[in-house]
Amino acid sequence: MATRNKSEEVIHELLGYEHLKIIQRPDVFNFSLDSTLLADFVIPLTKTKEIIDLGTGNAPIPLFLTLKTDAHITAVDIQEAAVDLAKRSVELNQLTHQITVLHKDINQIHQAFENSQFDIVTCNPPFFKYKASSHINESTFKTIARHEVKVTLEDIVYEAKRLLKTKGSLYMVHRTKRLLEILDTLNRHQFGIKRMRFVYPKKGKESNMVLIEAVNNSNAELSLLEPLYVHNDKGYTDEINRIFNFGKEDSHETD
């Protein structure tokens, strides 16, 4: 059973939606900007029926995606405490008909499903490689979420390959510094890079994150999107504020 420490839990409105709430625990992890950017980057089509989010944490990506699609979403995480938060957030939002939360290891997760069952795989993976000498967080929860202790980039791409239909899309956010390794790994598993967008803290700074859409068994031509800047001198940029207000004026994307 997960250990609940309700005295440290908080309930936030996801993206300011009164009807979309997320339960968080600062000692485990709060949802982050990278998860929000990844969910915004995903383009579900009207034909999209099945989505799976690997390493879902407390499920910010699945919750955000319910604003964009009616597809069924499976959310998977190895950490029982995060799964507990995710399940209760889904129940709080009355989304159990659309989101299923599973307590499972990403490694070999494809064995729990039919081959090529999913249209879309999303993943905000651990960003940092793990070595015995790595500087890691004192929190085991945060260490597993941020470092490749339990799963590596190679493991995630391997599983995504088996979960996705042909031409299905893997959406991932990752550190820009690991881009060459990411592209090499995707190429070795016969993914074609369809869309890529670099994220910058602000103009004049180096990119620190990259958003990638890779298509299974595809020779897709790459569309390199315009840079995404997070901050300007006044705070968040207009585009980040647009993302934070996603769906308040329009609804689902279509084919």
Side-chain angles (χ1 to χ4, degrees):
M1 293 289 292
T3 301
R4 294 185 182 180
N5 189 350
K6 288 192 173 182
S7 64
E8 297 185 8
E9 288 185 5
V10 292
I11 300 177
H12 286 140
E13 293 174 352
L14 188 64
L15 302 177
Y17 282 87
E18 293 183 2
H19 68 284
L20 195 58
K21 300 182 187 299
I22 186 166
I23 304 172
Q24 308 204 89
R25 257 180 55 187
D27 64 316
V28 179
F29 34 67
N30 295 317
F31 79 92
S32 57
L33 179 65
D34 37 343
S35 291
T36 304
L37 297 184
L38 178 59
D40 177 74
F41 186 68
V42 175
I43 303 178
L45 305 177
T46 52
K47 64 183 180 183
T48 299
K49 301 300 181 188
E50 292 281 352
I51 298 173
I52 185 167
D53 184 42
L54 302 179
T56 198
N58 55 341
I61 294 172
L63 291 172
F64 189 152
L65 289 179
T66 62
L67 300 173
K68 307 177 81 173
T69 181
D70 294 324
H72 181 262
I73 304 167
T74 303
V76 178
D77 204 281
I78 194 172
Q79 302 206 65
E80 192 172 6
V83 168
D84 177 61
L85 294 176
K87 284 184 174 178
R88 288 189 287 124
S89 287
V90 171
E91 293 168 357
L92 179 65
N93 291 293
Q94 299 182 341
L95 287 168
T96 54
H97 63 287
Q98 188 176 5
I99 301 175
T100 301
V101 183
L102 299 178
H103 178 212
K104 286 187 177 295
D105 190 344
I106 292 175
N107 289 295
Q108 303 302 315
I109 186 66
H110 70 279
Q111 295 180 2
F113 303 98
E114 295 180 5
N115 288 336
S116 307
Q117 179 174 327
F118 293 90
D119 303 287
I120 289 175
V121 173
T122 57
C123 187
N124 179 5
F127 283 169
F128 304 102
K129 292 191 174 185
Y130 178 74
K131 300 177 184 176
S133 59
S134 294
H135 177 69
I136 57 175
N137 197 288
E138 293 180 357
S139 163
T140 301
F141 298 121
K142 292 181 179 179
T143 296
I144 292 173
R146 295 173 181 173
H147 294 262
E148 292 181 335
V149 177
K150 297 290 187 181
V151 67
T152 66
L153 172 65
E154 177 77 27
D155 298 331
I156 290 166
V157 174
Y158 176 90
E159 294 299 324
K161 178 78 179 176
R162 282 146 187 80
L163 291 166
L164 282 170
K165 299 174 180 175
T166 293
K167 309 300 183 186
S169 289
L170 166 61
Y171 289 90
M172 186 162 50
V173 59
H174 217 301
R175 298 282 289 183
T176 306
K177 289 185 176 179
R178 294 187 64 181
L179 180 59
L180 294 181
E181 177 190 0
I182 295 166
L183 296 181
D184 176 67
T185 304
L186 291 168
N187 287 333
R188 283 191 286 102
H189 289 276
Q190 289 81 51
F191 280 91
I193 313 302
K194 182 177 181 181
R195 297 162 62 234
M196 190 159 63
R197 190 172 195 186
F198 291 103
V199 181
Y200 296 78
K202 63 189 303 184
K203 287 186 177 179
K205 300 290 186 180
E206 289 186 4
S207 170
N208 59 351
M209 287 191 290
V210 60
L211 298 160
I212 297 172
E213 179 186 359
V215 181
N216 187 24
N217 294 329
S218 170
N219 294 316
E221 292 185 354
L222 170 64
S223 292
L224 185 58
L225 306 183
E226 62 180 314
L228 175 55
Y229 298 105
V230 175
H231 292 99
N232 56 28
D233 292 338
K234 297 179 180 178
Y236 285 122
T237 60
D238 289 345
E239 182 157 16
I240 294 297
N241 282 316
R242 177 196 64 74
I243 293 170
F244 289 160
N245 287 285
F246 175 85
K248 292 175 182 172
E249 294 182 354
D250 53 16
S251 57
H252 297 173
E253 301 279 353
T254 59
D255 293 58

